[in-house]
Amino acid sequence: MRIAVYMGIALALVSLGALSIFKVPVDSEALALRSTEVKRKVGPGLHMRIPFLENVVTEPVLREQQFGYDTVFEIHGCPAAVSVIDRIEDFESYHASGGDLTVLMDMRHAIKMSLDALPDISGSAQLDRPYDQQIAERLRPLTGPAADGLHVNRIHVSLEEGCVPKRVVTETPLPSLAAQQGGAFAPERAAPGNLRMTTFDGVEIRIEGFAATYQIEDTARAATCFSQNRSIVATRVAHLAEATLREVVENLTLDQMAELPTRLHRMLPNNNLGQCGVSLGSVDFNDATFARRSVVNCEEAPTEDCFPQTFLTPGLTLQD
């Protein structure tokens, strides 16, 4: 009986020791959590934890990960597959945010906006520079530190092989909306860039040169959300302004465009930036330009501006 008791105690101690030890792979880091609080971060190798009190979360932070979008992007009529190659730069921020899905969805929107803003083939001047160079220039600002602890290393664009641009676009300037501001401007600014969108009555327009304004009211909360990188705050604000602006424009006719600033000002507060200590001001359209776009399909209605000999590079990878 005594021997059985000793053997039971020995087995319990062995089991407890086994539960106390965990291994982190060579390409990973681990967080030891007590409830939801991070107690420590450890690197590759064998480590100890308190059984039943501490949980361990492991992620491959020392290697790249690739995320491919299901969305088929389009560059002047040519389908394009896009993937983001990233790595976890700040594991604690990454874990606190619940992962990278939100950031990558924001990135998808930013990539689409950048590709939509590529110069159209409207004359021989566009043939002087290969399209892979123009794509690289548009997407390069999206690489580097991202929100929620991620770092975007590269963006890979794979175009449909053999596809040639099919569209030519002409633009007619529209009146500026500078006199129709929707409210007060905040002290910091984020420039969403060159956007293309379609109004409720089907008119394609381009808007560029405007700025979303914002203010960091709680630096501690902002640092937690954005890894103490103020440029990431501007990026998130710009993405939010783009998405909101698109939603507003899609519900306005061309004749109602003068209502854009005030409607945008009413919708922008509907966001989750407040929990990160950031508040939004109005969007500044003082230096913005607006243009109505007319699209010609070169296959269906060739014009003197169509250059069927122009081709797109099948694949492109952007380095940071």
Side-chain angles (χ1 to χ4, degrees):
M1 178 65 114
R2 186 177 300 171
I3 293 175
V5 171
Y6 289 157
M7 289 185 64
I9 294 174
L11 286 173
L13 291 174
V14 170
S15 300
L16 191 61
L19 290 173
S20 302
I21 298 173
F22 65 94
K23 182 179 181 180
V24 180
V26 295
D27 63 352
S28 302
E29 288 181 349
L31 297 177
L33 309 174
R34 192 171 300 178
S35 185
T36 58
E37 181 184 359
V38 177
K39 304 303 292 185
R40 62 191 179 282
K41 180 172 67 175
V42 296
L46 293 176
H47 301 277
M48 300 290 293
R49 66 174 173 181
I50 303 174
F52 310 113
L53 289 180
E54 291 184 341
N55 295 318
V56 175
V57 177
T58 304
E59 287 286 353
V61 302
L62 305 180
R63 64 176 171 85
E64 295 180 336
Q65 303 180 92
Q66 179 168 318
F67 181 86
Y69 293 104
D70 294 334
T71 305
V72 177
F73 296 76
E74 183 178 287
I75 303 177
H76 299 168
C78 290
V82 177
S83 57
V84 173
I85 295 86
D86 60 57
R87 61 181 172 81
I88 300 172
E89 188 171 54
D90 185 331
F91 190 10
E92 293 188 47
S93 297
Y94 177 85
H95 173 74
S97 69
D100 57 3
L101 186 60
T102 299
V103 176
L104 291 169
M105 291 303 102
D106 285 347
M107 181 66 66
R108 177 180 65 180
H109 178 71
I111 291 171
K112 183 180 186 305
M113 294 299 98
S114 295
L115 293 179
D116 284 349
L118 280 167
D120 289 294
I121 303 170
S122 56
S124 59
Q126 298 298 341
L127 305 182
D128 295 339
R129 296 171 59 244
Y131 254 71
D132 57 349
Q133 293 181 15
Q134 297 186 41
I135 295 171
E137 289 175 5
R138 291 288 176 175
L139 296 184
R140 186 165 289 112
L142 301 180
T143 61
D148 297 341
L150 277 183
H151 186 284
V152 176
N153 291 357
R154 299 182 299 282
I155 300 173
H156 182 71
V157 180
S158 180
L159 304 169
E160 184 178 276
E161 188 171 358
C163 185
V164 297
K166 303 178 179 66
R167 300 195 312 166
V168 169
V169 178
T170 58
E171 295 188 344
T172 305
L174 293 175
S176 172
L177 306 182
Q180 302 288 331
Q181 300 299 344
F185 300 142
E188 301 191 62
R189 302 167 71 82
N194 187 338
L195 306 182
R196 296 176 185 174
M197 55 200 71
T198 303
T199 63
F200 183 77
D201 50 348
V203 178
E204 187 178 2
I205 63 171
R206 176 180 59 82
I207 306 176
E208 66 175 330
F210 64 98
T213 66
Y214 66 98
Q215 182 171 4
I216 299 178
E217 297 183 335
D218 189 325
T219 54
R221 290 163 64 189
T224 300
C225 289
F226 302 108
S227 306
Q228 300 185 0
N229 190 328
R230 295 178 75 91
S231 66
I232 296 177
V233 182
T235 300
R236 181 61 65 86
V237 169
H239 292 174
L240 176 63
E242 289 176 10
T244 309
L245 180 63
R246 181 171 297 277
E247 183 177 353
V248 173
V249 168
E250 288 175 349
N251 286 280
L252 293 175
T253 65
L254 186 64
D255 292 338
Q256 295 173 325
M257 285 297 291
E259 303 175 23
L260 173 62
T262 52
R263 290 203 187 187
L264 188 62
H265 181 66
R266 288 199 298 265
M267 288 189 63
L268 276 176
N270 299 324
N271 63 79
N272 59 1
L273 288 178
Q275 65 188 18
C276 291
V278 179
S279 64
L280 299 184
S282 289
V283 174
D284 185 356
F285 289 106
N286 281 311
D287 298 320
T289 59
F290 299 80
R292 177 172 182 166
R293 296 161 50 82
S294 300
V295 181
V296 175
N297 187 311
C298 291
E299 289 189 337
E300 297 177 358
T303 72
E304 61 182 10
D305 291 326
C306 292
F307 291 88
Q309 71 272 23
T310 306
F311 62 91
L312 299 178
T313 302
L316 165 71
T317 298
L318 305 182
Q319 302 282 350
D320 59 346

